[in-house]
Amino acid sequence: MEVPAAAATAKPLLHTLTFSRAMVANHLFAAIYTCAVLALLYHHALTALSSTTFLSFSLSLAFLFSDFVFGFMWSTTQSFLMRPAHRRVFPENLRKVMREEDFPAMDVFICTADPHKEPPVSVVNTALSVMAYDYPAEKLSVYVSDDGGSDLTLFALVEAAKFGSHWLPFCRRNKVVERCPEAYFESNYPQSNESKQMKVMYESMKKWVENVVDSGKVTDDYITNEQERQAFNKWTRGFTRHDHPTVIQVLSEVGKDKDITGESMPNLIYVSRQKSRNSPHHFKGGALNALLRVSAVMTNAPIILTLDCDMYSNDPQTLHRVLCYFSDATICSKVGYIQFPQRFHGLNKNDIYACEFKRLFLIHPMGMDGLAGPNHVGTGCFFSRRVFFGGPSSFVSPELPELRPDHVVKEPIQAQSILAMAHRVADCKYEDQSNWGSKVGFRYGSLVEDYYTGYRLQCEGWQSVFCHPNRPAFLGDVPITLNDVLNQNKRWSVGLLEVAFSKYSPVTFGVQSMGPIMGHCYAHLAFWPIWSIPLTIYAFLPQLALLNGVSIFPKVSDTWFFLYAFLFLGAYAQDCLVFILCEGTFLRWWSDQRMWMLRGVTSYLFGSIEFLTKCLGIATHGFNLTSKVLDGEQSKRYDQGTFEFGVESPMFVPLSTAAIVNLIAFFGGLVGVFRGGDFDGLFVQIFVAGFVVVNCWPIYEAMVLRTDKGRMPTKTTLISTFLAWALYTAASHTPHI
């Protein structure tokens, strides 16, 4: 069924909403599978009650709890399949319903925090790609939040503004689609004298910036005028990333700074909020709230785009697609934000680390779009500024009239009064005893402030839209080492559990505020890390029992065996089908399910432990950035589809231990069967061990067969071997069931 944007009117069509034909099949399968899950839990309960020893009772309870968690997480997954939807937009009709001079102003927020992990050249490319949007320059302002307070990042943006005066008119004249310079010059771009000259300019600018970053400071040799000198003089001897004054530097101003053709440049503004060691740092959420206030004082555009520093614009028409929703009077009063999926360039063929996150960024948002709309996923999101000041039918007034979403800025952005107010609202103590972070702005209370903010906004009554055009609107980088991938997931796990076990838990507060289906969608994400419980149990207990010849699952000849077979095959078949239907491949799906298993005994497990220690008041590592710096050898191995270990990480220990235990259990079980063992009773355990072994092949390869720098560290292999031996010894001395 297709629902037009402006039903029964003569206005040109701006967007449509189509519900998936698979809804009925999804509902039917969910009903049948739910009955099977309940039957399995009933079987576990019967087994526990009929146990004759403490050990058998304990094992039955362990698997009862494990399968209960499996069942709960599976049920929350089904929430995304209850009403999946697809949208289309028609930006070619936009000018038929509104004039260009009536287009609303847009503020773009780009966030970076560390020039050594997030290269300033990447920030430059992202900034230039959005400055070059097909949109009136006088209505576009780009704010770069540098939470690392680095003069290296400011220098890069100074050079970006200079290069932008050539790049923007070049894009307009040649109707360039890839408006990120790096992406354009890596593509099969038309070879002309102009494009060759532009590439020379870009490479010169890039080298200039990289030289400064490599040297670690901006010396006088790189400063070309007195205005720049005054800007960089703010970095005094006592200036550190955790203790420094506010820095706001206007690098280009609408109406004042022109490109080489005489056209106005968009606003480009560098912002580094004040920091003090005595004041709390709310990391990215705090930086975004500081930008929200600074931009309100300087430009106060009604629509805000948030971007990570490595997520460049890939479609110059994106803002027109957004206006197809925000300009529709029938829905704009309820739509709080429009989320684009995170898409990535540079993924290897089979996406070995499952960094595409197809479910998180594509499948789940489409499922939520048929309900109240997708969650916010941190970048590529267009917000109505009004959304940060209460629900659709309520308004939380900020403490200053200049911060209201309806405030009209009447002075130039470099006026003394404007800059003074901007510095005031970027002060590190400004939020003390205020509603910022609780009722106003981006919400604090979780390391995953994007998920938490979107969740709280929808609990307040706002709806959202998932916009997924054929050409990705934004493209970003992915981590290329397993350690970076797992650390990123561990950080997410801690933040998600902070929401799951708070007073705003989706299973209680969320269900009451949004209804059971949307509440369970958010619950699936919040309780993501508890996958570690069943995955860890199934990674060790059946295998250790198998090594002792103990059967803990139904025999193949038992009727209950077919229930296990149906649950396993049904879940995997549905998962694979949904993945492939969403523009996936079988090999990428295999990588995805393998990484799900690997994360269960690593990032999910360690994230859960870190959350528990945090609750107990024990110091934790806190927020860590994922490095965006690429190493040549690592990049080569990643492109070849080879797993990158290379460093000694505590998370590699349980992973390697599980791999060793399963390998020994699989072959030990087969040997036992050939010697006359009970194949009928041990088949399920042998199958589970074998399935894990197949998934762990990259780990065995890294431990034994490889000699490159990305192999598993010898120390990790030895520790894991010892732990596997210790587990086997302990299990072998445990009385049989």
Side-chain angles (χ1 to χ4, degrees):
M1 178 179 67
E2 193 168 84
V3 182
T9 71
K11 291 183 179 180
L13 198 62
L14 293 178
H15 61 89
T16 59
L17 174 67
T18 306
F19 293 100
S20 173
R21 301 177 193 174
M23 283 195 300
V24 175
N26 292 340
H27 294 174
L28 181 61
F29 178 79
I32 296 172
Y33 199 90
T34 299
C35 294
V37 171
L38 294 175
L40 178 65
L41 297 179
Y42 171 73
H43 173 66
H44 281 312
L46 284 181
T47 304
L49 292 174
S50 61
S51 299
T52 56
T53 66
F54 177 75
L55 179 60
S56 62
F57 179 74
S58 299
L59 285 173
S60 297
L61 284 185
F63 284 107
L64 172 63
F65 183 56
S66 173
D67 288 340
F68 174 79
V69 174
F70 265 139
F72 170 73
M73 293 303 290
W74 174 86
S75 69
T76 58
T77 303
Q78 298 309 297
S79 300
F80 299 105
L81 301 177
M82 292 296 100
R83 206 164 182 250
H86 306 274
R87 292 184 187 267
R88 286 184 61 198
V89 293
F90 305 94
E92 63 273 12
N93 291 337
L94 188 63
R95 283 184 170 85
K96 297 176 183 177
V97 298
M98 63 190 307
R99 298 174 301 174
E100 188 170 283
E101 53 266 35
D102 295 329
F103 285 4
M106 302 247 187
D107 287 343
V108 181
F109 295 173
I110 300 172
C111 296
T112 186
D114 188 336
H116 301 292
K117 289 187 177 181
E118 299 173 331
V121 168
S122 180
V123 183
V124 164
N125 274 280
T126 299
L128 288 170
S129 71
V130 294
M131 290 174 69
Y133 270 135
D134 280 339
Y135 207 72
E138 66 275 11
K139 294 178 179 289
L140 191 60
S141 301
V142 179
Y143 294 82
V144 178
S145 167
D146 177 18
D147 228 28
S150 173
D151 55 344
L152 306 179
T153 302
L154 176 58
F155 176 80
L157 291 170
V158 169
E159 296 303 306
K162 296 175 184 177
F163 175 71
S165 65
H166 298 267
W167 175 249
L168 270 60
F170 171 78
C171 291
R172 286 197 301 268
R173 280 196 304 270
N174 297 281
K175 293 182 171 53
V176 173
V177 178
E178 287 90 359
R179 302 212 171 170
C180 166
E182 187 77 21
Y184 177 76
F185 292 118
E186 287 181 352
S187 68
N188 187 24
Y189 64 95
Q191 298 290 326
S192 65
N193 289 334
E194 186 182 18
S195 64
K196 290 177 182 177
Q197 291 174 3
M198 192 59 59
K199 184 175 183 180
V200 170
M201 290 180 60
Y202 172 70
E203 293 296 340
S204 175
M205 183 268 292
K206 180 180 177 180
K207 185 177 180 180
W208 196 245
V209 171
E210 288 176 341
N211 287 342
V212 169
V213 174
D214 290 341
S215 68
K217 58 182 178 180
V218 183
T219 60
D220 290 342
D221 297 337
Y222 294 100
I223 298 175
T224 58
N225 57 54
E226 185 59 29
Q227 184 180 5
E228 291 179 11
R229 189 177 306 279
Q230 291 179 6
F232 290 109
N233 282 343
K234 296 173 183 177
W235 274 263
T236 59
R237 185 177 297 274
F239 193 113
T240 69
R241 62 175 298 150
H242 297 301
D243 195 345
H244 62 79
T246 297
V247 179
I248 300 176
Q249 192 69 34
V250 178
L251 305 174
S252 71
E253 181 180 355
V254 166
K256 179 180 178 182
D257 295 292
K258 310 286 186 178
D259 62 32
I260 59 171
T261 64
E263 295 287 331
S264 178
M265 294 275 288
N267 292 321
L268 178 61
I269 304 156
Y270 170 91
V271 179
S272 184
R273 58 179 172 147
Q274 183 191 19
K275 281 191 175 181
S276 170
R277 294 188 180 276
N278 299 322
S279 298
H281 298 164
H282 295 294
F283 305 111
K284 185 177 176 181
L288 285 168
N289 277 336
L291 275 186
L292 195 60
R293 296 191 296 271
V294 169
S295 66
V297 170
M298 301 183 81
T299 51
N300 208 35
I303 299 174
I304 296 168
L305 164 62
T306 59
L307 280 180
D308 283 343
C309 64
D310 64 325
M311 190 68 65
Y312 65 81
S313 168
N314 187 55
D315 183 358
Q317 287 288 307
T318 296
L319 302 191
H320 294 81
R321 299 182 189 280
V322 168
L323 290 186
C324 287
Y325 295 108
F326 278 132
S327 62
D328 185 348
T330 62
I331 65 169
C332 65
S333 62
K334 296 180 181 178
V335 173
Y337 59 88
I338 298 169
Q339 179 68 63
F340 285 77
Q342 287 197 39
R343 305 293 294 274
F344 305 98
H345 62 88
L347 287 171
N348 60 20
K349 181 180 178 181
N350 296 327
D351 188 19
I352 56 173
Y353 301 136
C355 289
E356 186 180 24
F357 285 103
K358 190 175 286 291
R359 289 177 191 79
L360 180 62
F361 298 143
L362 283 177
I363 298 172
H364 293 170
M366 284 192 289
M368 299 173 80
D369 204 19
L371 302 166
N375 184 35
H376 171 41
V377 293
T379 184
C381 190
F382 289 82
F383 291 93
S384 164
R385 187 178 289 268
R386 167 65 180 84
V387 80
F388 296 110
F389 299 90
S393 58
S394 61
F395 181 76
V396 181
S397 182
E399 55 286 343
L400 294 173
E402 291 87 351
L403 301 182
R404 290 178 60 92
D406 56 358
H407 170 68
V408 178
V409 180
K410 298 179 180 179
E411 296 183 78
I413 60 175
Q414 296 202 65
Q416 190 61 37
S417 59
I418 293 292
L419 289 175
M421 179 63 74
H423 279 77
R424 175 186 172 186
V425 297
D427 189 284
C428 62
K429 295 182 180 179
Y430 181 82
E431 294 181 1
D432 291 354
Q433 297 180 344
S434 74
N435 286 322
W436 286 93
S438 58
K439 296 180 181 180
V440 175
F442 292 86
R443 307 306 164 85
Y444 305 145
S446 170
L447 283 177
V448 284
E449 81 295 318
D450 50 355
Y451 163 84
Y452 187 50
T453 296
Y455 166 60
R456 289 288 303 277
L457 293 178
Q458 290 202 323
C459 285
E460 291 172 5
W462 290 105
Q463 295 181 3
S464 58
V465 167
F466 184 57
C467 190
H468 175 37
N470 292 330
R471 180 179 178 86
F474 305 98
L475 287 174
D477 295 325
V478 293
I480 60 171
T481 72
L482 184 60
N483 188 52
D484 281 344
V485 171
L486 295 180
N487 276 312
Q488 182 186 61
N489 278 263
K490 186 187 75 170
R491 183 175 74 243
W492 293 350
S493 295
V494 176
L496 291 169
L497 288 174
E498 288 172 338
V499 180
F501 293 99
S502 71
K503 66 177 181 178
Y504 295 108
S505 175
V507 295
T508 53
F509 185 84
V511 168
Q512 292 176 2
S513 302
M514 297 183 288
I517 300 181
M518 276 296 289
H520 278 80
C521 287
Y522 275 99
H524 174 80
L525 300 171
F527 287 94
W528 222 14
I530 70 171
W531 280 121
S532 62
I533 297 171
L535 289 173
T536 303
I537 289 174
Y538 272 93
F540 290 101
L541 284 188
Q543 294 78 358
L544 294 173
L546 177 61
L547 284 170
N548 287 281
V550 177
S551 175
I552 57 177
F553 293 113
K555 296 182 178 181
V556 176
S557 57
D558 192 329
T559 305
W560 288 107
F561 167 80
F562 296 99
L563 177 65
Y564 277 85
F566 170 75
L567 288 169
F568 176 83
L569 295 175
Y572 265 81
Q574 183 195 42
D575 189 67
C576 181
L577 181 62
V578 170
F579 190 96
I580 291 175
L581 288 177
C582 191
E583 305 169 17
T585 66
F586 177 80
L587 290 178
R588 285 201 172 190
W589 169 79
W590 181 262
S591 296
D592 187 89
Q593 68 84 30
R594 175 172 57 198
M595 280 303 301
W596 169 68
M597 294 175 65
L598 267 54
R599 288 194 296 262
V601 295
T602 55
S603 52
Y604 293 164
L605 178 62
F606 277 70
S608 300
I609 293 171
E610 187 171 318
F611 170 72
L612 288 174
T613 57
K614 190 174 181 180
C615 291
L616 296 173
I618 302 173
T620 59
H621 295 295
F623 184 85
N624 293 306
L625 284 173
T626 302
S627 177
K628 308 296 194 312
V629 180
L630 301 181
D631 176 270
E633 290 186 12
Q634 290 177 348
S635 296
K636 184 177 179 180
R637 287 191 288 269
Y638 176 75
D639 291 339
Q640 293 172 344
T642 303
F643 271 63
E644 183 74 29
F645 294 91
V647 298
E648 293 180 1
S649 169
M651 283 190 282
F652 292 163
V653 174
L655 183 60
S656 302
T657 303
I660 294 170
V661 167
N662 278 271
L663 183 66
I664 295 173
F666 177 67
F667 286 106
L670 289 179
V671 169
V673 168
F674 285 127
R675 289 181 176 177
D678 181 17
F679 178 75
D680 191 37
L682 298 176
F683 172 77
V684 175
Q685 286 156 267
I686 294 174
F687 174 82
V688 170
F691 189 71
V692 175
V693 167
V694 172
N695 277 282
C696 287
W697 171 251
I699 302 169
Y700 303 132
E701 187 181 39
M703 288 193 292
V704 180
L705 301 178
R706 289 167 53 186
T707 57
D708 56 71
K709 292 182 180 180
R711 72 188 302 271
M712 184 74 75
T714 304
K715 182 179 178 181
T716 302
T717 302
L718 292 175
I719 292 174
S720 301
T721 303
F722 171 77
L723 288 175
W725 171 81
L727 286 172
Y728 170 71
T729 302
S732 63
H733 286 85
T734 301
H736 287 185
I737 300 175

